Structure formats: C-alpha cells, structure tokens
Amino acid sequence: MSVSSRSAVAIHALTMLARWRDHSLTSTEIAESLASNPVLVRRILGSLRDAGLVWSTEGRNGGWSLARPARDITLHDVYAAVEAGPVLSRHPHPPSAECEVGRNMQRLLEVEFRDAERAMEERLSRTTIAHLVQQVLASERELAQRNH
C-alpha cells in the first residue's frame, strides 16, 4: 500500500469515529464507507490504537472509538501513526563515486527531501480531525440546501 493510501484510510476512519462520536463503530462499518476490506481497516486501526489515537472494545456492542478529542488529533499525528520511513524514497544503493553527479546526488537530494518532508509535516499539523468533521458537515448542509 502506498504512503498516501494508508494515511487516507486512517484519516477517513478517524473522521468517521469523530463524526459519530456518541457510539463506537465496527471495522466493517468503517470499511463499508471506504468500500474496502475490514481486515485492512482493522490493521490500520491497530496502528492507530498503538499510537493512542483510538481504542477498541470487545463484545456485542464493541467497536472502535477515539481515544482523544478530535480537536487534539492532527493529520500529522495520523500520518506518523501509520507510515514507516520517509515520504520520499532515497537511493536504494550508493551511486557511483566515479561520476560527478553520483558523488553529489545523495547529499543534494537528502537536503531537498528533508526540507520537503518538514514542510509536509508542518502542513499536516495545521489540520485536525475535528476540522475535517466540520468540513464534512458543511458540505452535507450545502448538498441538502441544493436538493430542496
């Protein structure tokens, strides 16, 4: 799974949990909204649980719930919980030291990629799950007004 799809699934799931915060949701309910597989959703929810963003209860009325208020969960928190490693891939092996480009490219790309990743982290830190819920509700109100 690509970096963006793990994060997108996790953000979608957390937004659902925040939207219907008065009761827990099952991984099947979340998977239906994603048009995805509940096993995949459970795997991602497990990473979110390990990061302290959600918790689960077993049994008949079991399911997943937010472990923190939605206003305290940023998109960067979610990204950090489900992604491993840097966003931008580095050289898979050292380039040739015999080539002037090869001698310099790793060092040059490291600076550029690190700056880009910092910018992404800063941007994701500005948006919370609560903000996404507000946007969903505003879009739904707008849709309802157009249909009446």
Side-chain angles (χ1 to χ4, degrees):
M1 181 180 294
S2 73
V3 166
S4 60
S5 65
R6 284 185 61 81
S7 292
V9 167
I11 291 166
H12 185 125
L14 289 171
T15 304
M16 284 188 71
L17 294 173
R19 169 64 180 96
W20 290 286
R21 66 185 174 271
D22 55 335
H23 66 279
S24 60
L25 298 175
T26 67
S27 53
T28 300
E29 291 170 319
I30 296 168
E32 287 172 1
S33 176
L34 285 155
S36 185
N37 185 320
V39 173
L40 168 72
V41 172
R42 277 192 292 278
R43 197 173 302 135
I44 289 174
L45 288 168
S47 295
L48 296 172
R49 181 184 51 222
D50 293 345
L53 300 178
V54 299
W55 57 278
S56 62
T57 53
E58 302 284 331
R60 182 180 189 126
N61 295 319
W64 296 89
S65 301
L66 293 181
R68 299 188 342 214
R71 70 180 175 277
D72 295 339
I73 301 172
T74 68
L75 300 189
H76 181 261
D77 295 332
V78 181
Y79 169 82
V82 299
E83 303 297 349
V87 175
L88 300 168
S89 297
R90 291 0 188 221
H91 274 294
H93 52 80
S96 171
E98 303 301 313
C99 171
E100 63 186 37
V101 172
R103 278 191 297 273
N104 292 286
M105 193 51 55
Q106 275 186 298
R107 179 180 50 79
L108 296 172
L109 283 180
E110 186 58 36
V111 170
E112 294 300 320
F113 287 5
R114 198 172 38 239
D115 286 352
E117 288 164 348
R118 272 196 218 109
M120 185 194 82
E121 290 171 8
E122 189 277 326
R123 177 61 186 93
L124 292 177
S125 293
R126 285 192 255 151
T127 303
T128 67
I129 295 298
H131 183 246
L132 294 182
V133 170
Q134 291 169 350
Q135 289 180 309
V136 165
L137 295 174
S139 293
E140 288 299 304
R141 279 191 300 274
E142 209 175 282
L143 181 63
Q145 287 174 349
R146 276 188 275 151
N147 290 334
H148 281 32

